[in-house]
Amino acid sequence: MSVYEKLQALNITLPAVAAPAAAYVMYAQSGNTVYLSGHLSKKDGKIWVGQLGKDTTTEEAKLAARGIAVDLIATLQAACGGDLKRVKRVVKLMSLVNSTPDFTEQHLVTNGASELIGEVFGEQGKHARSAFGVAQLPLGACVEIEMIAELE
């Protein structure tokens, strides 16, 4: 099944690529490697604000991370000139989770993105990953995730 068939089977429509919120670009390519800037969690079109261990649950943030993965795939499609079939491999995700000092489930939150990337890209979606707890994220977002991918 192609990437596009998998997206359709999952009932996922890729959104328009977000505009940068500051002095950066949404992606940069060097050789066959593309680096996607951090994407913030959104809910109902607005930043999904919250802090894990205080007012946001692991399950809620896992859904936020899954939503970020959809946005990352949309940006990756733009980086591929509109053709996700050019993705040779998703190399790495880095996840930042807005957390209290005692929250320790950043890895479970990040599974929301990792699992969707795996569903959509199959073997090419198996990636390395880092998940960090941070004191705060831009605009109070509960999760931010960036991606590195290799293109053909």
Side-chain angles (χ1 to χ4, degrees):
M1 194 180 309
S2 78
V3 171
Y4 294 104
E5 290 168 331
K6 289 177 186 174
L7 287 169
Q8 186 174 20
L10 292 167
N11 201 29
I12 293 173
T13 301
L14 296 178
V17 177
Y24 62 93
V25 294
M26 293 307 289
Y27 63 88
Q29 186 170 342
S30 179
N32 289 339
T33 305
V34 64
Y35 300 83
L36 278 62
S37 293
H39 286 52
L40 298 175
S41 53
K42 293 180 187 169
K43 186 176 189 178
D44 301 324
K46 296 180 176 134
I47 298 298
W48 192 331
V49 174
Q51 188 173 47
L52 281 289
K54 180 180 176 186
D55 56 16
T56 303
T57 68
T58 299
E59 284 307 310
E60 288 171 322
K62 186 175 177 180
L63 289 173
R66 183 178 176 91
I68 293 171
V70 172
D71 290 343
L72 285 165
I73 294 168
T75 302
L76 184 57
Q77 179 174 257
C80 293
D83 186 5
L84 286 169
K85 295 176 194 164
R86 290 187 55 216
V87 175
K88 184 173 182 181
R89 173 135 201 184
V90 174
V91 178
K92 185 172 183 181
L93 295 183
M94 186 178 77
S95 174
L96 305 169
V97 180
N98 186 346
S99 309
T100 60
D102 60 342
F103 182 80
T104 60
E105 295 185 341
Q106 292 84 359
H107 61 295
L108 299 177
V109 168
T110 307
N111 280 346
S114 292
E115 290 167 359
L116 181 64
I117 297 294
E119 285 180 75
V120 171
F121 290 100
E123 284 297 311
Q124 289 83 8
K126 291 183 178 177
H127 54 272
R129 186 180 90 179
S130 299
F132 299 94
V134 297
Q136 191 54 267
L137 286 169
L139 307 173
C142 62
V143 183
E144 179 177 0
I145 302 175
E146 64 181 49
M147 176 191 284
I148 301 170
E150 181 183 6
L151 308 181
E152 292 186 343

